[in-house]
Amino acid sequence: MLVAELVTTSAAVAATRSRLAKVAALADCLRRAAPDEIAIVVSYLSGELRQRRSGVGWAALRDLPPPAAAPSLEVAEVDRSFARIEAATGPGSSAVRREELAQLFARATADEQRFLAMLAGGELRQGALAGIVTDAVAAAAEVEPATVRRAAMLAGDLPAVAEAAVTEGAAGLARFRLQVGRPVQPMLAKTAPSLEAALQQVEPAAVEWKLDGVRIQVHRNGDDIAVFTRTLDPVGERMPEVVEAVRALPLRSVILDGEAIALRPDGRPRPFQETASRAASRGNIDALREAVPLTPFFFDVLHLDGRDLLDLPASERLSAIEPALPAGAWVPRLAGNDLESAQAFLDDALARGHEGVVVKSVSAPYEAGRRGAGWLKVKPVHTLDLVVLAAEWGHGRRQGFLSNLHLGARDEETGGFVMLGKTFKGLTDELLKWQTARLLELESRHTASTVFVHPQLVVEIAFDGIQTSTRYPGGVALRFARVLRYRDDKGAEEADTIATIRLLHAART
Protein backbone atom coordinates (compact mmCIF):
# COMPACT_ATOMS: atom_id res chain seq x y z
CA MET A 1 0.00 0.00 0.00
CA LEU A 2 1.26 3.47 -0.89
CA VAL A 3 1.66 6.10 1.81
CA ALA A 4 -0.43 8.33 -0.47
CA GLU A 5 -3.48 6.17 0.35
CA LEU A 6 -2.97 6.82 4.05
CA VAL A 7 -2.63 10.54 3.36
CA THR A 8 -5.93 10.52 1.47
CA THR A 9 -7.65 8.55 4.24
CA SER A 10 -6.22 10.80 6.94
CA ALA A 11 -7.48 13.89 5.11
CA ALA A 12 -10.96 12.36 4.74
CA VAL A 13 -11.09 11.52 8.45
CA ALA A 14 -9.94 15.01 9.42
CA ALA A 15 -12.50 16.64 7.13
CA THR A 16 -15.58 15.17 8.85
CA ARG A 17 -16.98 15.34 12.37
CA SER A 18 -19.14 12.28 11.76
CA ARG A 19 -17.91 9.29 13.71
CA LEU A 20 -19.62 6.93 11.26
CA ALA A 21 -17.88 8.61 8.32
CA LYS A 22 -14.51 8.40 10.05
CA VAL A 23 -15.01 4.70 10.78
CA ALA A 24 -16.11 4.02 7.20
CA ALA A 25 -13.05 5.75 5.69
CA LEU A 26 -10.66 3.92 7.99
CA ALA A 27 -12.31 0.55 7.45
CA ASP A 28 -12.13 0.98 3.67
CA CYS A 29 -8.40 1.72 3.92
CA LEU A 30 -7.83 -1.35 6.11
CA ARG A 31 -9.63 -3.61 3.64
CA ARG A 32 -7.18 -2.54 0.92
CA ALA A 33 -4.08 -3.24 3.02
CA ALA A 34 -2.08 -6.44 2.53
CA PRO A 35 -1.97 -8.76 5.57
CA ASP A 36 1.58 -7.74 6.47
CA GLU A 37 0.65 -4.04 6.17
CA ILE A 38 -2.38 -4.01 8.47
CA ALA A 39 -0.48 -3.46 11.72
CA ILE A 40 1.51 -0.62 10.18
CA VAL A 41 -1.59 1.03 8.71
CA VAL A 42 -3.44 0.88 12.03
CA SER A 43 -0.47 2.37 13.87
CA TYR A 44 -0.07 5.22 11.39
CA LEU A 45 -3.76 6.09 11.18
CA SER A 46 -3.85 6.09 14.99
CA GLY A 47 -1.09 8.69 14.87
CA GLU A 48 1.76 6.50 16.12
CA LEU A 49 4.93 4.98 14.77
CA ARG A 50 5.45 1.32 15.64
CA GLN A 51 8.88 2.23 16.98
CA ARG A 52 8.49 3.60 20.52
CA ARG A 53 11.74 5.58 20.40
CA SER A 54 12.53 6.75 16.90
CA GLY A 55 15.13 9.27 17.98
CA VAL A 56 13.59 11.80 15.58
CA GLY A 57 12.87 15.22 17.10
CA TRP A 58 11.24 18.24 15.55
CA ALA A 59 14.63 19.84 14.95
CA ALA A 60 15.51 16.97 12.61
CA LEU A 61 12.33 17.57 10.61
CA ARG A 62 12.87 21.25 9.92
CA ASP A 63 15.32 20.92 7.01
CA LEU A 64 13.78 18.36 4.68
CA PRO A 65 14.90 17.58 1.13
CA PRO A 66 12.74 18.70 -1.82
CA PRO A 67 9.63 16.52 -2.18
CA ALA A 68 9.19 13.86 -4.83
CA ALA A 69 7.02 14.71 -7.83
CA ALA A 70 4.83 11.58 -7.70
CA PRO A 71 3.87 9.07 -4.99
CA SER A 72 5.86 5.84 -4.90
CA LEU A 73 6.64 5.35 -1.21
CA GLU A 74 5.09 2.25 0.41
CA VAL A 75 4.06 1.98 4.07
CA ALA A 76 6.28 -1.07 4.63
CA GLU A 77 9.30 0.92 3.41
CA VAL A 78 8.52 3.67 5.90
CA ASP A 79 8.26 1.16 8.73
CA ARG A 80 11.59 -0.41 7.83
CA SER A 81 13.23 3.02 7.61
CA PHE A 82 12.06 4.06 11.09
CA ALA A 83 13.17 0.67 12.41
CA ARG A 84 16.68 1.36 11.11
CA ILE A 85 16.57 4.85 12.63
CA GLU A 86 15.58 3.39 16.00
CA ALA A 87 18.32 0.77 15.82
CA ALA A 88 21.06 3.35 15.19
CA THR A 89 23.03 3.77 18.42
CA GLY A 90 26.51 4.67 19.56
CA PRO A 91 29.10 6.93 17.90
CA GLY A 92 27.95 8.24 14.54
CA SER A 93 24.33 7.28 15.13
CA SER A 94 23.09 10.86 14.72
CA ALA A 95 24.57 11.02 11.24
CA VAL A 96 23.04 7.65 10.38
CA ARG A 97 19.60 8.82 11.49
CA ARG A 98 19.90 12.06 9.53
CA GLU A 99 20.90 10.23 6.36
CA GLU A 100 18.13 7.66 6.74
CA LEU A 101 15.61 10.43 7.33
CA ALA A 102 16.83 12.40 4.30
CA GLN A 103 16.54 9.38 2.02
CA LEU A 104 13.06 8.58 3.32
CA PHE A 105 11.68 12.10 2.90
CA ALA A 106 13.29 12.51 -0.53
CA ARG A 107 11.03 9.66 -1.70
CA ALA A 108 7.89 11.39 -0.32
CA THR A 109 5.66 13.92 -2.04
CA ALA A 110 4.88 17.22 -0.30
CA ASP A 111 1.66 15.84 1.20
CA GLU A 112 3.44 12.66 2.27
CA GLN A 113 6.24 14.68 3.87
CA ARG A 114 3.70 16.62 5.95
CA PHE A 115 1.98 13.37 6.94
CA LEU A 116 5.23 11.67 7.96
CA ALA A 117 6.52 14.72 9.82
CA MET A 118 3.32 14.92 11.85
CA LEU A 119 3.46 11.16 12.44
CA ALA A 120 7.07 11.27 13.65
CA GLY A 121 6.35 14.30 15.82
CA GLY A 122 3.26 12.81 17.42
CA GLU A 123 0.95 15.45 15.97
CA LEU A 124 -1.13 13.37 13.55
CA ARG A 125 -4.48 14.05 15.22
CA GLN A 126 -7.10 13.89 12.51
CA GLY A 127 -9.79 12.39 14.75
CA ALA A 128 -8.72 8.77 14.32
CA LEU A 129 -8.38 8.13 18.03
CA ALA A 130 -8.03 4.61 19.36
CA GLY A 131 -11.77 4.14 19.90
CA ILE A 132 -12.59 5.10 16.33
CA VAL A 133 -9.80 2.97 14.88
CA THR A 134 -11.02 0.04 16.98
CA ASP A 135 -14.50 0.39 15.51
CA ALA A 136 -12.96 0.61 12.03
CA VAL A 137 -11.05 -2.63 12.62
CA ALA A 138 -14.32 -4.29 13.65
CA ALA A 139 -16.06 -3.00 10.51
CA ALA A 140 -13.24 -4.15 8.23
CA ALA A 141 -13.15 -7.58 9.87
CA GLU A 142 -16.96 -7.86 10.16
CA VAL A 143 -16.82 -8.72 13.86
CA GLU A 144 -18.44 -7.11 16.91
CA PRO A 145 -16.65 -3.94 18.13
CA ALA A 146 -16.81 -5.22 21.71
CA THR A 147 -14.81 -8.29 20.68
CA VAL A 148 -12.07 -6.13 19.16
CA ARG A 149 -12.04 -3.79 22.18
CA ARG A 150 -11.62 -6.68 24.59
CA ALA A 151 -8.82 -8.25 22.54
CA ALA A 152 -7.03 -4.88 22.33
CA MET A 153 -7.45 -4.40 26.06
CA LEU A 154 -5.89 -7.77 26.85
CA ALA A 155 -3.12 -7.53 24.26
CA GLY A 156 -2.21 -3.88 24.83
CA ASP A 157 -1.44 -3.85 21.11
CA LEU A 158 -4.21 -2.66 18.78
CA PRO A 159 -2.11 -3.12 15.58
CA ALA A 160 -1.53 -6.81 16.39
CA VAL A 161 -5.21 -7.25 17.21
CA ALA A 162 -6.18 -5.54 13.95
CA GLU A 163 -4.00 -7.89 11.93
CA ALA A 164 -5.59 -10.92 13.61
CA ALA A 165 -9.12 -9.55 13.21
CA VAL A 166 -8.86 -8.63 9.53
CA THR A 167 -7.01 -11.80 8.49
CA GLU A 168 -8.66 -14.37 10.78
CA GLY A 169 -11.88 -12.83 12.08
CA ALA A 170 -13.35 -13.68 15.48
CA ALA A 171 -11.29 -16.88 15.67
CA GLY A 172 -8.08 -14.86 15.54
CA LEU A 173 -9.28 -12.54 18.30
CA ALA A 174 -10.11 -15.46 20.60
CA ARG A 175 -6.45 -16.18 21.21
CA PHE A 176 -5.87 -12.83 22.96
CA ARG A 177 -6.19 -13.51 26.67
CA LEU A 178 -4.94 -11.92 29.84
CA GLN A 179 -1.34 -13.05 30.19
CA VAL A 180 0.83 -12.70 33.27
CA GLY A 181 3.90 -10.73 32.22
CA ARG A 182 2.15 -8.81 29.46
CA PRO A 183 0.77 -5.48 30.79
CA VAL A 184 -2.67 -4.14 29.94
CA GLN A 185 -3.79 -0.55 29.81
CA PRO A 186 -4.90 0.56 33.31
CA MET A 187 -8.44 1.49 34.20
CA LEU A 188 -8.74 5.24 34.74
CA ALA A 189 -10.99 7.51 36.80
CA LYS A 190 -13.19 10.37 35.71
CA THR A 191 -13.48 13.60 37.70
CA ALA A 192 -16.55 14.20 39.87
CA PRO A 193 -17.61 17.74 40.84
CA SER A 194 -18.14 16.74 44.48
CA LEU A 195 -18.18 13.82 46.87
CA GLU A 196 -21.95 13.95 47.07
CA ALA A 197 -22.30 13.83 43.28
CA ALA A 198 -19.92 10.85 43.07
CA LEU A 199 -21.82 8.88 45.71
CA GLN A 200 -25.10 9.60 43.92
CA GLN A 201 -23.70 8.39 40.63
CA VAL A 202 -21.97 5.24 41.94
CA GLU A 203 -24.01 2.84 44.06
CA PRO A 204 -23.09 0.62 45.82
CA ALA A 205 -19.70 2.24 46.31
CA ALA A 206 -16.44 2.10 48.19
CA VAL A 207 -14.28 5.13 48.87
CA GLU A 208 -10.48 4.88 48.68
CA TRP A 209 -7.65 7.29 49.35
CA LYS A 210 -6.31 8.93 46.20
CA LEU A 211 -2.53 8.72 46.47
CA ASP A 212 -0.26 11.13 44.64
CA GLY A 213 2.18 8.48 43.44
CA VAL A 214 3.13 6.77 40.18
CA ARG A 215 0.80 4.13 38.79
CA ILE A 216 2.21 0.61 38.75
CA GLN A 217 1.01 -2.75 37.46
CA VAL A 218 2.88 -5.69 38.96
CA HIS A 219 2.97 -9.14 37.34
CA ARG A 220 4.25 -12.20 39.18
CA ASN A 221 4.70 -15.66 37.67
CA GLY A 222 6.53 -17.79 40.21
CA ASP A 223 9.82 -16.03 40.95
CA ASP A 224 9.55 -13.80 37.87
CA ILE A 225 8.23 -10.36 38.80
CA ALA A 226 7.76 -7.43 36.43
CA VAL A 227 6.65 -3.89 37.25
CA PHE A 228 5.11 -1.66 34.58
CA THR A 229 4.17 2.03 34.47
CA ARG A 230 0.85 3.42 33.26
CA THR A 231 2.48 3.70 29.82
CA LEU A 232 3.37 -0.03 30.02
CA ASP A 233 7.12 0.56 30.33
CA PRO A 234 9.02 -2.01 32.44
CA VAL A 235 10.55 -0.44 35.57
CA GLY A 236 11.14 -3.39 37.88
CA GLU A 237 14.89 -2.74 38.10
CA ARG A 238 14.18 0.80 39.32
CA MET A 239 11.75 -0.34 42.03
CA PRO A 240 13.30 -3.21 44.01
CA GLU A 241 11.06 -2.41 47.00
CA VAL A 242 7.99 -3.19 44.91
CA VAL A 243 9.50 -6.41 43.58
CA GLU A 244 10.42 -7.56 47.08
CA ALA A 245 6.98 -6.73 48.49
CA VAL A 246 5.22 -8.82 45.85
CA ARG A 247 7.75 -11.65 46.08
CA ALA A 248 6.94 -11.92 49.80
CA LEU A 249 3.25 -12.63 49.12
CA PRO A 250 2.14 -16.28 49.50
CA LEU A 251 1.12 -16.52 45.83
CA ARG A 252 2.19 -18.31 42.64
CA SER A 253 0.89 -15.82 40.10
CA VAL A 254 -0.80 -12.44 40.35
CA ILE A 255 -1.42 -9.17 38.50
CA LEU A 256 -1.83 -6.24 40.89
CA ASP A 257 -2.79 -2.63 40.15
CA GLY A 258 -1.64 0.14 42.44
CA GLU A 259 0.66 3.06 43.11
CA ALA A 260 4.23 3.48 44.31
CA ILE A 261 4.79 6.52 46.48
CA ALA A 262 7.67 8.06 48.41
CA LEU A 263 6.72 8.62 52.05
CA ARG A 264 8.39 10.59 54.81
CA PRO A 265 9.29 8.82 58.07
CA ASP A 266 6.01 10.03 59.59
CA GLY A 267 4.03 8.37 56.79
CA ARG A 268 3.07 11.57 54.99
CA PRO A 269 3.73 11.67 51.23
CA ARG A 270 6.74 13.46 49.86
CA PRO A 271 6.11 15.94 47.00
CA PHE A 272 5.10 14.18 43.80
CA GLN A 273 8.24 15.41 42.05
CA GLU A 274 10.37 13.36 44.46
CA THR A 275 8.34 10.22 43.80
CA ALA A 276 8.42 10.78 40.04
CA SER A 277 12.15 11.53 40.03
CA ARG A 278 12.94 8.42 42.04
CA ALA A 279 10.76 6.23 39.80
CA ALA A 280 12.44 7.59 36.66
CA SER A 281 16.03 7.36 37.93
CA ARG A 282 18.33 4.66 36.55
CA GLY A 283 21.44 5.51 38.54
CA ASN A 284 22.66 3.99 41.81
CA ILE A 285 19.44 2.30 42.87
CA ASP A 286 20.78 1.30 46.28
CA ALA A 287 21.64 4.90 47.11
CA LEU A 288 18.35 6.18 45.70
CA ARG A 289 16.44 3.59 47.69
CA GLU A 290 18.20 4.70 50.84
CA ALA A 291 17.46 8.38 50.22
CA VAL A 292 13.94 8.13 48.77
CA PRO A 293 12.36 4.74 49.46
CA LEU A 294 9.21 3.78 47.56
CA THR A 295 6.21 2.12 49.18
CA PRO A 296 3.72 0.17 47.07
CA PHE A 297 -0.01 0.36 47.75
CA PHE A 298 -2.43 -1.80 45.78
CA PHE A 299 -6.10 -1.24 45.02
CA ASP A 300 -7.06 -3.90 42.48
CA VAL A 301 -6.20 -7.38 41.23
CA LEU A 302 -6.69 -8.72 37.69
CA HIS A 303 -5.34 -12.26 38.04
CA LEU A 304 -4.70 -14.58 40.96
CA ASP A 305 -3.07 -18.01 40.94
CA GLY A 306 -4.19 -19.06 37.47
CA ARG A 307 -7.59 -17.38 37.57
CA ASP A 308 -8.47 -14.22 35.62
CA LEU A 309 -10.55 -11.84 37.76
CA LEU A 310 -11.03 -8.70 35.69
CA ASP A 311 -14.61 -9.61 34.66
CA LEU A 312 -15.70 -10.14 38.26
CA PRO A 313 -17.29 -7.37 40.34
CA ALA A 314 -14.76 -5.34 42.29
CA SER A 315 -16.04 -6.72 45.59
CA GLU A 316 -15.25 -10.28 44.48
CA ARG A 317 -11.83 -9.32 43.12
CA LEU A 318 -10.86 -7.76 46.41
CA SER A 319 -12.25 -10.62 48.49
CA ALA A 320 -10.07 -13.01 46.51
CA ILE A 321 -6.81 -11.16 47.20
CA GLU A 322 -7.35 -9.90 50.77
CA PRO A 323 -6.22 -13.10 52.56
CA ALA A 324 -2.81 -12.90 50.84
CA LEU A 325 -2.10 -9.24 51.59
CA PRO A 326 -0.35 -8.02 54.74
CA ALA A 327 -1.69 -5.06 56.68
CA GLY A 328 -0.83 -1.81 54.99
CA ALA A 329 -0.43 -3.25 51.49
CA TRP A 330 -3.90 -2.18 50.38
CA VAL A 331 -5.02 1.42 49.88
CA PRO A 332 -7.33 2.35 52.80
CA ARG A 333 -10.99 2.08 51.80
CA LEU A 334 -14.43 2.66 53.24
CA ALA A 335 -17.46 0.69 52.04
CA GLY A 336 -20.87 2.30 51.66
CA ASN A 337 -22.62 5.38 50.30
CA ASP A 338 -23.14 7.29 53.55
CA LEU A 339 -22.13 10.87 52.79
CA GLU A 340 -21.23 11.82 56.36
CA SER A 341 -18.91 8.82 56.78
CA ALA A 342 -17.39 9.37 53.35
CA GLN A 343 -16.75 13.05 54.10
CA ALA A 344 -14.96 12.13 57.33
CA PHE A 345 -12.90 9.59 55.37
CA LEU A 346 -12.01 12.26 52.78
CA ASP A 347 -11.10 14.77 55.49
CA ASP A 348 -8.80 12.20 57.10
CA ALA A 349 -7.09 11.45 53.79
CA LEU A 350 -6.48 15.17 53.23
CA ALA A 351 -5.19 15.63 56.78
CA ARG A 352 -2.63 12.90 56.09
CA GLY A 353 -1.41 14.79 53.03
CA HIS A 354 -3.13 12.83 50.26
CA GLU A 355 -4.92 14.27 47.22
CA GLY A 356 -8.46 13.17 47.93
CA VAL A 357 -10.47 10.03 47.32
CA VAL A 358 -11.70 7.82 44.51
CA VAL A 359 -15.29 6.60 44.66
CA LYS A 360 -15.50 3.15 43.06
CA SER A 361 -18.37 0.90 42.11
CA VAL A 362 -18.07 -2.40 43.99
CA SER A 363 -20.14 -4.14 41.31
CA ALA A 364 -18.13 -3.00 38.27
CA PRO A 365 -15.64 -5.17 36.34
CA TYR A 366 -12.13 -3.94 35.64
CA GLU A 367 -12.38 -1.87 32.44
CA ALA A 368 -8.78 -1.86 31.30
CA GLY A 369 -7.80 1.06 29.12
CA ARG A 370 -10.99 2.99 29.77
CA ARG A 371 -11.95 6.04 31.79
CA GLY A 372 -15.30 4.63 32.80
CA ALA A 373 -18.02 5.78 35.18
CA GLY A 374 -17.07 3.06 37.70
CA TRP A 375 -14.25 5.16 39.17
CA LEU A 376 -14.73 8.83 40.08
CA LYS A 377 -11.97 10.91 41.65
CA VAL A 378 -12.82 13.65 44.12
CA LYS A 379 -10.27 16.31 45.06
CA PRO A 380 -11.01 19.52 47.04
CA VAL A 381 -8.66 21.47 44.80
CA HIS A 382 -9.86 20.57 41.34
CA THR A 383 -7.14 19.92 38.81
CA LEU A 384 -7.09 19.09 35.13
CA ASP A 385 -4.44 17.52 32.93
CA LEU A 386 -4.20 19.85 29.94
CA VAL A 387 -1.91 20.17 26.93
CA VAL A 388 0.32 23.17 26.25
CA LEU A 389 -0.58 24.62 22.83
CA ALA A 390 1.63 27.73 22.92
CA ALA A 391 3.47 30.09 25.25
CA GLU A 392 4.11 33.82 25.27
CA TRP A 393 7.43 35.49 25.99
CA GLY A 394 7.54 36.99 29.47
CA HIS A 395 8.14 40.57 30.60
CA GLY A 396 10.06 42.15 33.48
CA ARG A 397 11.90 39.54 35.53
CA ARG A 398 10.59 36.88 33.13
CA GLN A 399 12.12 38.58 30.11
CA GLY A 400 13.71 35.92 27.90
CA PHE A 401 11.54 33.09 29.21
CA LEU A 402 8.40 31.53 27.76
CA SER A 403 5.88 32.24 30.48
CA ASN A 404 2.16 32.59 29.70
CA LEU A 405 0.90 29.14 28.68
CA HIS A 406 -1.98 28.51 26.28
CA LEU A 407 -3.90 25.53 27.67
CA GLY A 408 -5.94 23.02 25.68
CA ALA A 409 -8.34 20.17 26.47
CA ARG A 410 -8.65 17.11 24.26
CA ASP A 411 -11.57 17.01 21.82
CA GLU A 412 -12.63 13.39 21.39
CA GLU A 413 -14.74 14.23 18.33
CA THR A 414 -12.06 15.92 16.25
CA GLY A 415 -8.92 14.40 17.74
CA GLY A 416 -7.55 17.91 18.30
CA PHE A 417 -7.42 20.29 21.25
CA VAL A 418 -9.70 23.11 22.42
CA MET A 419 -8.15 26.13 24.10
CA LEU A 420 -9.48 26.93 27.58
CA GLY A 421 -7.35 29.86 28.61
CA LYS A 422 -3.90 30.98 29.63
CA THR A 423 -1.82 31.06 32.80
CA PHE A 424 1.60 32.18 33.98
CA LYS A 425 0.92 31.44 37.65
CA GLY A 426 2.65 28.76 39.69
CA LEU A 427 5.88 28.76 37.69
CA THR A 428 9.14 28.70 39.67
CA ASP A 429 12.35 30.08 38.21
CA GLU A 430 13.63 26.53 37.72
CA LEU A 431 10.44 25.47 35.95
CA LEU A 432 10.55 28.57 33.72
CA LYS A 433 14.04 27.64 32.52
CA TRP A 434 13.10 24.03 31.82
CA GLN A 435 9.79 25.01 30.23
CA THR A 436 11.41 27.51 27.87
CA ALA A 437 14.00 25.04 26.65
CA ARG A 438 11.47 22.24 26.20
CA LEU A 439 8.88 24.36 24.40
CA LEU A 440 11.47 25.69 21.97
CA GLU A 441 12.30 22.07 21.10
CA LEU A 442 8.61 21.52 20.29
CA GLU A 443 8.13 24.76 18.33
CA SER A 444 5.92 24.50 15.25
CA ARG A 445 5.76 28.21 14.39
CA HIS A 446 6.08 31.57 16.12
CA THR A 447 5.12 35.21 16.07
CA ALA A 448 6.92 38.09 17.72
CA SER A 449 5.26 37.39 21.07
CA THR A 450 4.20 33.74 20.98
CA VAL A 451 5.76 30.35 20.31
CA PHE A 452 3.27 27.74 19.12
CA VAL A 453 4.23 24.16 19.89
CA HIS A 454 3.36 20.64 18.88
CA PRO A 455 0.82 19.41 21.45
CA GLN A 456 2.82 16.93 23.49
CA LEU A 457 3.42 18.35 26.96
CA VAL A 458 0.80 17.60 29.62
CA VAL A 459 0.58 20.00 32.54
CA GLU A 460 -1.53 19.62 35.68
CA ILE A 461 -3.52 22.79 36.28
CA ALA A 462 -5.34 23.79 39.47
CA PHE A 463 -8.28 26.18 39.10
CA ASP A 464 -10.94 27.87 41.20
CA GLY A 465 -13.84 27.53 38.81
CA ILE A 466 -15.13 27.18 35.26
CA GLN A 467 -17.05 29.97 33.57
CA THR A 468 -18.95 30.42 30.35
CA SER A 469 -16.80 32.20 27.77
CA THR A 470 -17.32 33.50 24.25
CA ARG A 471 -13.60 34.18 23.95
CA TYR A 472 -12.55 30.55 23.61
CA PRO A 473 -13.90 28.01 21.08
CA GLY A 474 -14.97 25.48 23.74
CA GLY A 475 -17.43 27.96 25.24
CA VAL A 476 -15.83 27.70 28.69
CA ALA A 477 -12.74 29.03 30.43
CA LEU A 478 -10.87 28.29 33.64
CA ARG A 479 -10.87 30.82 36.49
CA PHE A 480 -7.58 31.50 38.31
CA ALA A 481 -5.72 28.66 36.59
CA ARG A 482 -2.24 27.87 37.95
CA VAL A 483 0.46 25.34 37.18
CA LEU A 484 1.00 22.55 39.68
CA ARG A 485 3.45 20.42 37.71
CA TYR A 486 4.23 18.88 34.36
CA ARG A 487 3.12 15.26 33.95
CA ASP A 488 5.96 13.47 32.18
CA ASP A 489 4.17 10.19 32.89
CA LYS A 490 1.22 11.14 30.69
CA GLY A 491 0.86 11.58 26.96
CA ALA A 492 -1.37 14.13 25.23
CA GLU A 493 -3.90 11.39 24.50
CA GLU A 494 -4.48 11.11 28.27
CA ALA A 495 -5.35 14.79 28.77
CA ASP A 496 -8.78 15.67 30.11
CA THR A 497 -11.48 16.20 27.51
CA ILE A 498 -13.57 19.26 26.77
CA ALA A 499 -16.63 17.07 27.43
CA THR A 500 -15.45 16.42 31.01
CA ILE A 501 -14.85 20.12 31.58
CA ARG A 502 -18.30 21.04 30.28
CA LEU A 503 -19.85 18.49 32.64
CA LEU A 504 -17.96 20.01 35.57
CA HIS A 505 -19.19 23.44 34.50
CA ALA A 506 -22.80 22.25 34.23
CA ALA A 507 -22.64 20.69 37.69
CA ARG A 508 -21.64 24.03 39.21
CA THR A 509 -24.18 26.23 37.45
Side-chain angles (χ1 to χ4, degrees):
M1 173 176 280
L2 294 176
V3 174
E5 296 181 68
L6 299 193
V7 173
T8 300
T9 300
S10 180
V13 170
T16 179
R17 294 183 62 88
S18 167
R19 184 183 182 93
L20 289 177
K22 291 178 188 288
V23 169
L26 292 165
D28 181 61
C29 184
L30 281 172
R31 293 187 190 101
R32 299 196 307 271
D36 60 351
E37 296 172 331
I38 292 171
I40 306 171
V41 170
V42 167
S43 292
Y44 289 5
L45 289 178
S46 298
E48 297 179 353
L49 292 172
R50 295 211 298 174
Q51 296 73 27
R52 298 198 68 174
R53 293 179 176 85
S54 68
V56 177
W58 283 107
L61 299 171
R62 287 174 180 161
D63 299 318
L64 297 176
S72 65
L73 191 59
E74 297 183 356
V75 294
E77 294 179 278
V78 175
D79 186 61
R80 290 192 294 269
S81 181
F82 277 109
R84 289 191 292 269
I85 290 171
E86 182 185 45
T89 59
S93 59
S94 296
V96 172
R97 287 194 292 268
R98 283 195 301 271
E99 179 62 24
E100 187 73 43
L101 206 62
Q103 291 182 15
L104 173 65
F105 276 80
R107 293 273 317 282
T109 65
D111 288 343
E112 290 169 346
Q113 284 191 348
R114 282 190 289 271
F115 177 88
L116 293 174
M118 294 172 70
L119 180 64
E123 200 190 355
L124 187 63
R125 303 183 182 279
Q126 77 275 36
L129 298 173
I132 295 175
V133 177
T134 301
D135 286 352
V137 170
E142 298 182 353
V143 297
E144 289 296 321
T147 305
V148 178
R149 282 195 292 270
R150 181 174 178 81
M153 172 192 78
L154 296 176
D157 187 347
L158 180 57
V161 167
E163 183 176 334
V166 176
T167 59
E168 303 173 55
L173 295 176
R175 70 170 180 266
F176 292 101
R177 304 176 61 84
L178 187 63
Q179 180 177 319
V180 178
R182 184 174 65 194
V184 299
Q185 294 287 345
M187 185 171 176
L188 304 173
K190 290 185 175 180
T191 300
S194 67
L195 181 59
E196 182 178 12
L199 290 170
Q200 289 175 348
Q201 184 173 338
V202 177
E203 189 174 1
V207 186
E208 296 179 354
W209 285 2
K210 187 181 187 308
L211 305 180
D212 196 14
V214 294
R215 189 76 174 267
I216 54 172
Q217 188 178 120
V218 187
H219 291 235
R220 175 179 177 179
N221 186 8
D223 289 332
D224 294 331
I225 298 174
V227 184
F228 301 94
T229 65
R230 64 183 294 146
T231 54
L232 312 187
D233 293 311
V235 292
E237 292 183 356
R238 303 181 217 166
M239 300 185 181
E241 307 98 316
V242 176
V243 172
E244 292 168 8
V246 174
R247 179 169 284 127
L249 299 178
L251 302 170
R252 298 187 311 276
S253 64
V254 70
I255 302 176
L256 291 165
D257 190 5
E259 299 243 349
I261 186 169
L263 300 176
R264 293 175 175 148
D266 62 0
R268 294 179 65 83
R270 295 175 183 250
F272 172 79
Q273 289 84 350
E274 292 187 30
T275 294
S277 176
R278 163 61 211 279
S281 298
R282 302 171 183 268
N284 188 332
I285 299 299
D286 290 338
L288 290 168
R289 178 178 181 174
E290 178 87 19
V292 186
L294 293 176
T295 301
F297 288 92
F298 300 107
F299 46 70
D300 219 318
V301 57
L302 286 66
H303 173 95
L304 180 62
D305 284 341
R307 182 186 177 203
D308 292 345
L309 306 180
L310 70 173
D311 291 326
L312 295 180
S315 58
E316 294 185 33
R317 298 198 303 274
L318 303 191
S319 295
I321 190 66
E322 280 176 350
L325 290 173
W330 206 256
V331 172
R333 65 196 308 266
L334 172 73
N337 286 72
D338 180 69
L339 179 58
E340 184 176 350
S341 299
Q343 184 63 54
F345 186 80
L346 169 59
D347 292 341
D348 180 59
L350 296 172
R352 294 172 185 268
H354 300 296
E355 278 195 311
V357 294
V358 182
V359 177
K360 295 183 176 181
S361 169
V362 299
S363 60
Y366 189 94
E367 298 181 280
R370 296 193 63 189
R371 198 180 292 275
W375 291 6
L376 298 175
K377 56 187 175 182
V378 180
K379 297 191 289 187
V381 177
H382 283 292
T383 66
L384 292 167
D385 293 326
L386 302 176
V387 175
V388 179
L389 305 179
E392 299 170 11
W393 289 106
H395 303 281
R397 64 182 299 271
R398 293 191 175 185
Q399 183 80 30
F401 295 105
L402 287 171
S403 175
N404 203 17
L405 300 175
H406 295 203
L407 305 169
R410 185 163 52 88
D411 188 333
E412 291 183 295
E413 291 296 321
T414 66
F417 297 91
V418 180
M419 188 171 172
L420 295 172
K422 306 177 184 180
T423 189
F424 55 83
K425 299 182 183 298
L427 295 167
T428 64
D429 290 346
E430 182 180 356
L431 195 56
L432 273 172
K433 293 177 183 176
W434 176 87
Q435 173 179 284
T436 301
R438 186 71 180 103
L439 292 176
L440 288 174
E441 291 176 354
L442 297 175
E443 178 185 340
S444 59
R445 61 185 178 89
H446 66 270
T447 64
S449 62
T450 305
V451 173
F452 296 86
V453 299
H454 299 287
Q456 295 184 18
L457 284 184
V458 176
V459 62
E460 186 175 359
I461 298 294
F463 61 97
D464 289 355
I466 303 172
Q467 61 191 20
T468 301
S469 172
T470 57
R471 182 177 181 182
Y472 297 113
V476 291
L478 302 182
R479 297 180 63 248
F480 302 109
R482 53 203 181 274
V483 173
L484 290 183
R485 62 196 179 197
Y486 278 92
R487 295 301 302 255
D488 295 335
D489 58 329
K490 292 188 176 183
E493 69 282 356
E494 295 183 82
D496 283 301
T497 66
I498 185 64
T500 294
I501 294 162
R502 286 171 179 155
L503 286 174
L504 288 174
H505 178 47
R508 296 180 174 194
T509 56

